[in-house]
Amino acid sequence: MNVVIVGAGIAGLATALSLEAVGIRDIRIFERAPEIRGLGVGINLLPHAVRELTELGVADRIEALGVAPSRLAYFNRLGQPIWSEPRGLDAGYRWPQLSVHRGRLQLALVELVRERLGEVIETGHRLTDVSEGAETVTAVFDTDAGPVEATGDLVIGADGIHSALRAIRYPTEGRRRGAASRCGAAPP
Ligand SMILES: Cc1cc2nc3c(=O)[nH]c(=O)nc-3n(C[C@H](O)[C@H](O)[C@H](O)COP(=O)(O)OP(=O)(O)OC[C@H]3O[C@@H](n4cnc5c(N)ncnc54)[C@H](O)[C@@H]3O)c2cc1C
């Protein structure tokens, strides 16, 4: 099976690793950013996400990038506790919760994809169109060198919350309401 993944964020990269784990190696990932710089700030991976990383055999590497909080606690501005609850292993899960820098997580996943699949990530490719044939799907990307097509048995949209692929496939859905702005800090 030949798979085209749109977006080299956390979902696109994790999907590539999951497909590789079940024996699908003919994968290309297309990312609109000219380079993957590992942007963001903190992100929390809940136990069910860490379970997936554990199944992929990469949890140790991700765990080394962050911390495993044992409690979530809220305080008011005077420092008085409002709410507190156990998290991860302390909450009885079989997997920890991990707090990591989003950019470091993304760069670690890029490294793992390269190790397991080779140079399959094409940056500078912004999805602009997608069309279905009888047996295949073709994605069209805008690049500095002009439009580029990629045909696969499957095209997976992992291009984030403002997904271009979703907008193409579901044009009447509109934009997500209450969309927050994005953080852009590089990893320390
Ligand atoms: C720069 C950035 C910083 C973030 N920082 C944080 C943070 O600090 N904390 C937090 O909790 N969450 C953060 N997020 C959101 C968080 O990463 C996602 O909500 C979550 O990881 C889900 O991942 P995702 O792969 O679905 O989406 P995303 O992480 O948003 O990845 C989507 C990828 O698709 C690419 N893409 C988008 N449109 C196209 C297109 N038309 N063609 C090709 N590629 C496209 C994007 O460039 C991006 O690399 C950030 C997201 C981004 C993009």
Side-chain angles (χ1 to χ4, degrees), residues 37-82:
R37 291 170 47 218
L39 298 175
V41 282
I43 198 167
N44 273 298
L45 304 176
L46 299 186
H48 54 278
V50 177
R51 179 189 60 201
E52 297 305 315
L53 297 173
T54 305
E55 291 295 315
L56 290 171
V58 304
D60 288 354
R61 269 167 68 174
I62 308 299
E63 213 166 334
L65 301 176
V67 293
S70 55
R71 293 198 81 74
L72 168 71
Y74 293 99
F75 298 86
N76 68 15
R77 64 191 173 87
L78 301 175
Q80 295 160 324
I82 300 170

Side-chain angles (χ1 to χ4, degrees), residues 5-13 30-33 36 38-45 100-103 105-106 125-128 140-141 157-165 182-185:
I5 297 176
V6 183
I10 313 301
L13 296 165
F30 295 91
E31 164 60 46
R32 80 175 163 187
I36 299 177
L39 298 175
V41 282
I43 198 167
N44 273 298
L45 304 176
V100 295
H101 186 286
R102 183 221 175 244
L105 170 64
Q106 185 184 21
H125 284 63
R126 185 175 62 87
L127 181 88
T128 54
V140 183
F141 299 92
D159 52 341
I161 200 160
H162 304 291
S163 170
L165 198 146
R182 289 209 168 128
C183 309

